[in-house]
Amino acid sequence: MGTISQFCHEQGRSFLEAQRLTKTYQVGGSTVYALRDVDFTAAQGDFVVINGPSGSGKTTFLNLISAIDRPTEGEVVVEGVSTNTLNEKQLAQLRKEKIGLIFQTFNLIPVLSAAENAEYPLLLQKLSKSERAKRVDAILGEVGLRDLARRRPNELSGGQRQRIAIARALITQPKLVLADEPTANLDSETGAQVMNLMRTLNEEHCVVFIVVTHDPAVTQYARRQIRIHDGCLQEGGAHDVVDTASQPAA
Ligand code: ADP
Ligand code: MG
């Protein structure tokens, strides 16, 4: 992996490990393997793109490593703690403190403004109103939407909505951000801007990003590429081909 940033002091330190992860579903009396015996490690500073066709297990994989769902076999270890040993309350706490999520359909709350959507996860934390306002202002600045803070989602473009969703994912200062097909509802240029923004935030915040997608164009933003097929992961090597500085700002 290339050098990421002098700000990322813990770069390379293991953050998350998945061991022999298997997830099966029972469908009409037969067993469907959504994931088979998957080993995976993410280190601080990683920007991983997992590319595979529809039905290959991408969403299942994210649901397991974010502890939204439990594996049939195997385990996920986050900062040395096996999530198999945690109860539902502890898992919810882990998700709240350490993980940010970004979705294909943005999943913004229609009646809230851009700023209120970004702020939303902070309402679950014990922060003063002024501290929340400070954080919202800072993150909206980072995603380039300070001027549109009062707009509602239906008054924003797809790219702007996804940038709000990215702000919402990062506002709790998570260590891991998971994105499920984040560019699927965007045109290719807007998708490129969103990917560039995520790369910049990965470097500036030293946050692990794991992006799953069926779109091969997204893999060019990876520091590390992985293929997924029929529930099996295949490491595709590391590279640093994207020069984010030369790309248009998102
Ligand atoms: P992807 O996100 O790559 O499109 P998924 O992780 O959603 O793939 O699904 C992987 C496989 O598991 C597919 O064959 C899918 O049909 C199956 N699957 C996913 N969720 C369920 C479920 N709740 N019940 C039964 N089968 C499921
Ligand atoms: Mg999916």
Side-chain angles (χ1 to χ4, degrees):
M1 191 161 68
T3 330
I4 291 184
S5 148
Q6 60 268 47
F7 304 112
C8 191
H9 300 300
E10 296 183 333
Q11 187 197 337
R13 200 165 100 184
S14 167
F15 172 70
L16 178 144
E17 285 166 38
Q19 282 149 10
R20 307 199 66 127
L21 269 192
T22 294
K23 181 74 181 178
T24 60
Y25 294 105
Q26 297 303 321
V27 182
S30 60
T31 302
V32 174
Y33 277 81
L35 278 187
R36 289 170 194 268
D37 234 5
V38 162
D39 289 326
F40 171 82
T41 301
Q44 296 292 354
D46 258 357
F47 194 107
V48 185
V49 175
I50 301 179
N51 185 230
S54 176
S56 56
K58 302 183 296 296
T59 297
T60 302
F61 178 71
L62 290 190
N63 287 345
L64 294 185
I65 60 176
S66 60
I68 289 170
D69 204 356
R70 288 181 185 275
T72 311
E73 281 173 55
E75 65 174 352
V76 177
V77 179
V78 180
E79 293 189 310
V81 177
S82 169
T83 58
N84 287 353
T85 66
L86 303 179
N87 63 31
E88 290 306 319
K89 199 174 160 193
Q90 292 166 320
L91 290 177
Q93 187 73 14
L94 173 108
R95 287 194 295 268
K96 192 173 85 177
E97 283 176 3
K98 298 193 174 164
I99 300 174
L101 300 172
I102 296 168
F103 305 93
Q104 170 176 350
T105 49
F106 322 130
N107 292 12
L108 300 174
I109 299 172
V111 296
L112 299 183
S113 69
E116 288 163 344
N117 268 285
E119 181 190 23
Y120 197 74
L122 291 186
L123 300 178
L124 300 169
Q125 298 191 352
K126 291 190 188 78
L127 287 175
S128 68
K129 202 174 166 185
S130 67
E131 175 62 24
R132 292 201 307 265
K134 221 160 75 184
R135 285 225 212 154
V136 169
D137 186 61
I139 197 73
L140 288 183
E142 284 196 68
V143 301
L145 286 182
R146 209 174 250 145
D147 295 344
L148 303 179
R150 290 167 178 273
R151 295 246 189 122
R152 290 195 178 173
N154 67 1
E155 299 166 326
L156 296 168
S157 70
Q160 289 165 342
R161 289 182 206 184
Q162 196 57 303
R163 283 195 263 161
I164 295 297
I166 292 169
R168 179 185 58 190
L170 282 165
I171 200 151
T172 56
Q173 302 170 346
K175 292 189 168 179
L176 173 65
V177 172
L178 303 176
D180 195 345
E181 310 267 12
T183 63
N185 281 8
L186 305 175
D187 62 71
S188 57
E189 192 186 327
T190 308
Q193 290 173 358
V194 161
M195 289 310 300
N196 271 315
L197 173 63
M198 288 202 265
R199 273 290 298 258
T200 303
L201 294 167
N202 160 253
E203 292 175 20
E204 289 178 353
H205 292 257
C206 192
V207 178
V208 181
F209 272 76
I210 301 175
V211 179
V212 304
T213 179
H214 69 275
D215 181 1
V218 170
T219 58
Q220 68 180 299
Y221 297 91
R223 289 185 181 285
R224 196 175 139 207
Q225 271 183 48
I226 294 178
R227 290 275 313 156
I228 182 165
H229 196 80
D230 289 343
C232 299
L233 294 193
Q234 188 185 14
E235 197 86 25
H239 68 147
D240 273 292
V241 293
V242 177
D243 176 3
T244 46
S246 72
Q247 303 275 337

